[in-house]
Amino acid sequence: MNKSVEDVVIDELRKHAVSNKLSRDTLLTTRLDELGIDSLSMMELVMNVEECYNIRIDESALDECVTLKDVVALVTKAISATSPGMT
């Protein structure tokens, strides 16, 4: 069974987040800085997700990501741009 984009991003986040015990909804809506995600952790997370989906994410767009939900939307957009009809 294939994981959803949210699952993949959450799995990657859990490798870097301060607290791994937060619920899925809380992880998606809490500010990244509150989760302990700094710029280096974000770059590692994005590189792993890019490799997983064979996509490229515009690094300048990451500056606008405040929550994990924003990151998921950015990844979904990159996937759609690479392979229309695939999410």
Side-chain angles (χ1 to χ4, degrees):
M1 182 175 159
N2 290 335
K3 287 184 173 183
S4 70
V5 173
E6 280 184 4
D7 290 335
V8 170
V9 173
I10 286 172
D11 287 349
E12 287 301 322
L13 173 90
R14 287 188 188 278
K15 295 177 184 176
H16 303 283
V18 170
S19 176
N20 288 332
K21 300 190 187 304
L22 297 174
S23 73
R24 177 188 183 94
D25 290 338
T26 302
L27 282 173
L28 288 170
T29 58
T30 302
R31 291 179 54 90
L32 293 167
D33 56 351
E34 292 174 6
L35 294 171
I37 302 300
D38 59 15
S39 58
L40 178 59
S41 297
M42 178 58 75
M43 290 309 299
E44 289 178 24
L45 183 153
V46 168
M47 287 182 353
N48 290 340
V49 171
E50 286 177 330
E51 187 176 311
C52 178
Y53 288 107
N54 195 28
I55 58 172
R56 287 287 165 234
I57 295 174
D58 179 10
E59 291 179 23
S60 64
L62 287 174
D63 294 337
E64 297 177 22
C65 291
V66 176
T67 66
L68 194 59
K69 192 172 188 175
D70 298 333
V71 176
V72 169
L74 187 61
V75 171
T76 302
K77 181 179 176 181
I79 292 169
S80 294
T82 303
S83 303
M86 186 180 158
T87 54

